[in-house]
Amino acid sequence: MRKVNEMTDDELAQLHVFVHDARKPLNRISMQAELVKMALDGDVPADKALQALDKIITSAKDCSAKLTEMTAAMRQDTLASPHDK
Amino acid sequence: MLTILLVDDDTEFTDVACTIIEFLGHEVLTAATLEEARDWLTKETFDHVLLDFMLPDGSGAHLFNELDALPKQPRVTLITGHPSVKEVIKGLCGPNVDYLVKPIQREEIEAVLSKKKKPKTDEDKITKHFDLLIGESPAMKDLYKLISRVSKTSANVMLLGESGVGKEVVAAAIHRASESEGPYIATNCGAFSKELIGSELFGHEKGAFTGAVGKKEGVFEQAEGGTLFLDEITEMPIDMQPNLLRVLENKVVIRVGGTKTIPVNCRVVSATNRTMEEIAQSKVLREDIYFRLAVFPITIPPLRERKEDIPLLAKTFIEEFNKENGASFKWEETQLSTLQAYDWPGNVRELRHFVHRAAIMSDPNGAKLELPKTIESPFAQKQSTTPALQAGRTIEDVEKELIYATLEKVNGNKTMAADMLGISTKTLYNRLHAYGDLSKDD
């Protein structure tokens, strides 16, 4: 795999988009976890915690999918790159 | 209660964020795009806007100008996905915009919302007397009175005070208050060798000595019509003092290597960190020079004698640091009390350095200042920055600290310490054994 400083501008932009997209489910996980904490403290109804935990699992899967997508895309780029030929 | 506009295109995030914000007691409206946000801004007035940096129809930063143009400007907190974006935007927008980096935690939301934007009240505003001096203590008010009085005359002033009290700042204040047309020139008499001080004070002619490739005006000439500040006057070599006396008496200088007399006209403000008694006893300053320079002596109080000014100074120093570094540090009341409890043997200079050091050591993205555990100075005993009595500490803990503090005070004399503590020597020994500080033989 090529280093970041060897990437073209387009490839770098694509990488940033991937990272941004992967961070989105992480942010959701963090926020839903805060909701679980509030539910445990009795600040919001307990059923909210259950919903939040389901959403955490979904977001974890989303994040994993994004990372897989990114790895696949980067592998393709690497194969297509004239530098490595 | 605040009215908040949350601009973010991730509805799952905004749903949870709204729950948290509402739980915190605020009212919140949401927008998923810049367009929706603009729409809300025309309909409602907001106290705070939480703004995502990357929105479907552009960057959140595009909203800044519109927010600035509003009659009631809300506080803005930019939500960014990447710490590097934060640094770039910080450079563009300055310290008035807060930042949240995803993933966000509830405490972070709470922290940005609790930072109220309040106009500076007179209470908050720190007055700089003569545009330079800070302090409202009786000692400083007396000093301001002296500065005002002497500035209206042309009398030479000698500033006495410990190292770090701000003698040079007082000298500059006298110059400013005098409204004289000439410049303010400062020089340090302790910084020059015996050979060079003549040239520094009186100037030299070309070829006067090896290396004198051109003629040079001395500080007396440079300060024409203004104020000459001679710092560390008592460090001036004694054999150079008759030359200074001649200038003070005759108001003319002769440059080193020259013959022509040049008239000079400036007020001389000199300074020393020695007391009048020391000056008299140690003979570092000729008596005739002393009376020429100290027509109007002013003693600047040490910081420990005006402790009520410490919070004002600490706030000013941190404001200066924030301005220079785009930071937003704020003092907590307990921290200011800790600073106030310390004696500051290095005076204002030590306080300023301490504040800057604390700011450098603190998280640059937060507002909380991290004070080191102890205030250490080679000129003073260590002092803990943890308040002595704080809720949550155990009685055993406080007792232990008191025992050690008492022992330190009496140089380890256990009989005296026990007496001061009101306990028997045996009890003191028992305690020290329990702390593991004494062997069984002691």
Side-chain angles (χ1 to χ4, degrees):
Chain A
M1 195 177 280
R2 276 172 303 131
K3 288 175 185 167
V4 170
N5 58 7
E6 290 171 351
M7 287 179 174
T8 65
D9 287 349
D10 282 351
E11 286 167 350
L12 256 179
Q14 197 191 6
L15 178 66
H16 281 300
V17 171
F18 275 126
V19 172
H20 174 259
D21 289 350
R23 203 172 257 128
K24 197 180 252 185
L26 286 177
N27 191 41
R28 288 176 179 171
I29 291 171
S30 173
M31 293 302 282
Q32 296 291 359
E34 291 292 351
L35 206 60
V36 175
K37 274 162 65 179
M38 287 170 78
L40 288 173
D41 286 340
D43 297 332
V44 293
D47 63 316
K48 286 253 183 196
L50 213 59
Q51 290 170 21
L53 289 168
D54 280 336
K55 285 179 179 168
I56 287 176
I57 295 166
T58 310
S59 291
K61 285 179 181 168
D62 284 350
C63 188
S64 174
K66 284 285 166 205
L67 293 174
T68 311
E69 199 183 327
M70 181 174 79
T71 331
M74 296 204 51
R75 194 174 295 130
Q76 271 179 3
D77 282 350
T78 309
L79 289 173
S81 166
H83 298 281
D84 296 340
K85 280 180 183 173
Chain B
M1 188 185 78
L2 302 174
T3 306
I4 293 151
L5 176 62
L6 173 60
V7 191
D8 199 299
D9 58 332
D10 184 351
T11 48
E12 193 179 317
F13 163 73
T14 52
D15 280 349
V16 185
C18 284
T19 308
I20 292 172
I21 294 167
E22 278 165 359
F23 171 74
L24 294 172
H26 307 300
E27 189 181 64
V28 59
L29 294 165
T30 60
T33 59
L34 284 176
E35 199 188 332
E36 278 180 38
R38 286 187 180 115
D39 196 27
W40 273 127
L41 291 171
T42 57
K43 292 178 191 161
E44 289 281 338
T45 308
F46 295 95
D47 300 299
H48 205 126
V49 177
L50 297 170
L51 186 59
D52 189 19
F53 185 63
M54 281 175 98
L55 291 161
D57 52 345
S59 160
H62 287 128
L63 221 54
F64 283 174
N65 288 344
E66 286 146 79
L67 291 168
D68 278 348
L70 290 173
K72 185 194 167 198
Q73 288 178 21
R75 272 197 75 81
V76 181
T77 298
L78 205 60
I79 303 168
T80 81
H82 199 278
S84 64
V85 173
K86 179 180 161 180
E87 290 311 314
V88 173
I89 297 297
K90 202 169 191 174
L92 289 172
C93 311
N96 292 328
V97 176
D98 279 319
Y99 305 86
L100 284 176
V101 179
K102 289 178 183 174
I104 297 164
Q105 284 182 273
R106 174 189 149 174
E107 284 83 353
E108 291 170 325
I109 297 180
E110 215 168 339
V112 290
L113 294 182
S114 62
K115 275 189 213 165
K116 284 184 191 143
K117 185 186 180 181
K118 52 174 186 180
K120 280 203 165 182
T121 59
D122 288 344
E123 204 183 323
D124 292 334
K125 212 170 164 188
I126 295 168
T127 311
K128 282 194 173 178
H129 297 264
F130 310 104
D131 287 338
L132 291 161
L133 298 167
I134 294 159
E136 301 302 329
S137 58
M140 285 306 277
K141 284 188 173 154
D142 286 346
L143 178 67
Y144 303 148
K145 210 182 285 172
L146 294 175
I147 293 173
S148 301
R149 297 235 170 110
V150 78
S151 64
K152 304 286 176 284
T153 72
S154 60
N156 288 340
V157 179
M158 182 176 276
L159 302 173
L160 301 119
E162 292 175 11
S163 182
V165 289
K167 294 185 281 290
E168 183 159 0
V169 189
V170 172
I174 293 171
H175 173 70
R176 190 160 293 192
S178 70
E179 293 172 1
S180 57
E181 285 174 8
Y184 167 77
I185 303 290
T187 193
N188 188 319
C189 300
F192 294 93
S193 66
K194 209 187 273 187
E195 293 74 29
L196 282 177
I197 194 154
S199 157
E200 171 68 12
L201 294 177
F202 316 123
H204 63 247
E205 294 293 348
K206 186 179 176 182
F209 47 84
T210 313
V213 286
K215 69 172 183 180
K216 184 195 162 195
E217 279 188 348
V219 286
F220 272 96
E221 280 181 75
Q222 289 172 40
E224 180 63 25
T227 308
L228 172 61
F229 176 56
L230 298 176
D231 202 1
E232 295 191 43
I233 188 72
T234 46
E235 309 311 308
M236 178 185 260
I238 199 100
D239 49 359
M240 188 43 93
Q241 292 183 14
N243 297 343
L244 177 62
L245 180 66
R246 206 161 46 240
V247 178
L248 294 170
E249 279 186 344
N250 304 332
K251 295 197 177 297
V252 288
V253 291
I254 300 171
R255 290 181 186 155
V256 176
T259 50
K260 201 173 77 177
T261 56
I262 301 163
V264 287
N265 171 33
C266 62
R267 179 209 303 272
V268 178
V269 178
S270 55
T272 175
N273 54 16
R274 298 179 191 243
T275 60
M276 275 190 211
E277 293 73 26
E278 265 181 80
I279 296 170
Q281 281 167 12
S282 60
K283 295 192 168 60
V284 284
L285 201 63
R286 286 168 55 124
E287 196 179 330
D288 43 12
I289 293 251
Y290 173 80
F291 287 114
R292 280 278 166 199
L293 290 174
V295 176
F296 197 88
I298 295 178
T299 302
I300 305 169
L303 195 49
R304 65 181 171 281
E305 286 178 15
R306 54 180 190 111
K307 284 194 165 183
E308 56 268 56
D309 292 334
I310 291 174
L312 298 178
L313 290 160
K315 283 179 190 169
T316 308
F317 297 152
I318 210 66
E319 273 172 24
E320 285 170 4
F321 183 92
N322 284 344
K323 210 170 165 187
E324 282 167 21
N325 298 281
S328 51
F329 292 122
K330 285 258 181 308
W331 289 111
E332 288 170 6
E333 283 307 315
T334 51
Q335 291 178 323
L336 290 173
S337 307
T338 305
L339 298 184
Q340 224 170 340
Y342 184 58
D343 272 348
W344 302 105
N347 292 297
V348 183
R349 183 187 291 129
E350 186 186 5
L351 174 65
R352 177 195 283 270
H353 289 182
F354 179 84
V355 170
H356 281 192
R357 200 163 54 239
I360 292 163
M361 296 299 287
S362 304
D363 175 9
N365 303 319
K368 189 177 161 52
L369 276 157
E370 299 283 341
L371 289 192
K373 283 201 176 65
T374 52
I375 304 176
E376 284 180 70
S377 161
F379 308 102
Q381 289 188 333
K382 280 184 192 176
Q383 183 168 323
S384 172
T385 54
T386 319
L389 286 176
Q390 204 177 35
R393 294 186 69 191
T394 61
I395 289 175
E396 286 79 12
D397 198 18
V398 175
E399 183 189 85
K400 187 174 172 182
E401 196 176 314
L402 178 65
I403 287 175
Y404 280 116
T406 312
L407 278 168
E408 203 174 306
K409 184 92 182 165
V410 295
N411 296 322
N413 185 321
K414 294 181 187 65
T415 314
M416 279 174 77
D419 199 36
M420 275 175 84
L421 288 161
I423 55 175
S424 68
T425 318
K426 187 169 175 280
T427 309
L428 178 62
Y429 271 89
N430 285 341
R431 292 282 193 283
L432 293 171
H433 271 299
Y435 305 149
D437 218 7
L438 284 179
S439 69
K440 282 181 183 166
D441 305 331
D442 280 320

